[in-house]
Amino acid sequence: MLRKRLKNRWHGFAQRQDLHRDAKCWQSSVQAQQILMEEQQVIQQLLDNQFGYHLGVCSLFDDLPLSASSRINHRFEFSDVSRSCNNMRCNAEQLALSEQSVDVLVLHHVLEFANEPHKILQESQRVLVPHGVLILTVFNPLSLWGLYSIIGRFVHRNRLWRRRQLSIATVSDWLKLLGLEPSSGISHYHRPPIASHWLQNKLRWLEWLGKKTAALKWGGSYTIVARKELGALHLIKLNRQSKSKTLLGGELASSLQSPNQKEINH
């Protein structure tokens, strides 16, 4: 019985309604507010440089103005659980959007809680216009948060700790297979998930250390920007001599020969 419960804690994923309820409860904690605020600032900075007609946002958490500063006029939010009248109810694994219809797509903590994360990326690639942009924010397993989540999935009732362990390298490989060119990634919040303002302030030096070792990407979460690339164009090298004979005829082609070539022919 205990073995079965431990197995469910490790492999089991919650129902979407229960997951959103736990996310809303965790969102009010100290560590959640700090890491979400840092992620929000980075995403807004990234969106400042994006242009287009349509911007879609899907987030596990409520009331985050991720796209508030975007210059794109038509912005819409969607979720697989009805949360507000402004949200479109739509499963990220089966987007109710036509092909090549969205310029920018933001998926905020969606991939690591999905039953089929590959399917979400495939759908994202399908709905993005050529050279469209996909922005992904995911909890980082190679971090203090990832280390704590290994323990937290057994000792916490909150289902947010029972998530997939998706590293930057893994997500980047998936994106490349779909023709999406990813960036190196931006790491967020290097302090551990501690629910104490006093300890969080004492550990501010970890943020300084994280900036000094930015290449290691060991923050609690990361954001990847991927651009949908078109298929590479392959140039066909033509034989100029055969082309001139075909288009210009034998007499005109022979007149284009050099004097040395004419002497050899005679």
Side-chain angles (χ1 to χ4, degrees), residues 5-14 115 153-154 162 164:
R5 290 183 62 184
L6 292 176
K7 186 177 180 180
N8 291 335
R9 287 268 179 162
W10 182 264
H11 297 286
F13 288 91
N115 293 321
R153 67 176 62 236
F154 296 108
R162 288 174 243 166
R164 295 184 183 276

Side-chain angles (χ1 to χ4, degrees), residues 65-104:
L66 298 176
S67 61
S69 62
S70 175
R71 302 177 185 178
I72 300 176
N73 291 328
H74 181 227
R75 303 187 295 267
F76 63 94
E77 298 180 5
F78 62 94
S79 172
D80 54 359
V81 177
S82 296
R83 293 183 289 185
S84 68
C85 58
N86 296 326
N87 284 12
M88 178 179 70
R89 185 164 186 177
C90 178
N91 189 349
E93 298 175 3
Q94 294 178 340
L95 293 175
L97 299 169
S98 58
E99 293 186 7
Q100 300 184 7
S101 59
V102 180
D103 297 279
V104 182

Side-chain angles (χ1 to χ4, degrees), residues 13-68:
F13 288 91
Q15 297 293 327
R16 303 302 296 179
Q17 193 71 43
D18 297 334
L19 182 61
H20 282 286
R21 190 184 305 113
D22 287 351
K24 189 173 183 179
C25 179
W26 180 79
Q27 192 172 350
S28 60
S29 63
V30 175
Q31 65 269 32
Q33 291 177 358
Q34 293 184 348
I35 192 171
L36 292 177
M37 181 177 63
E38 190 168 328
E39 292 171 355
Q40 178 182 330
Q41 291 174 352
V42 171
I43 292 175
Q44 288 180 347
Q45 291 175 1
L46 293 172
L47 289 177
D48 286 342
N49 301 322
Q50 304 301 329
F51 301 92
Y53 296 99
H54 307 289
L55 165 63
V57 178
C58 181
S59 176
L60 178 65
F61 302 98
D62 293 333
D63 303 326
L64 288 180
L66 298 176
S67 61

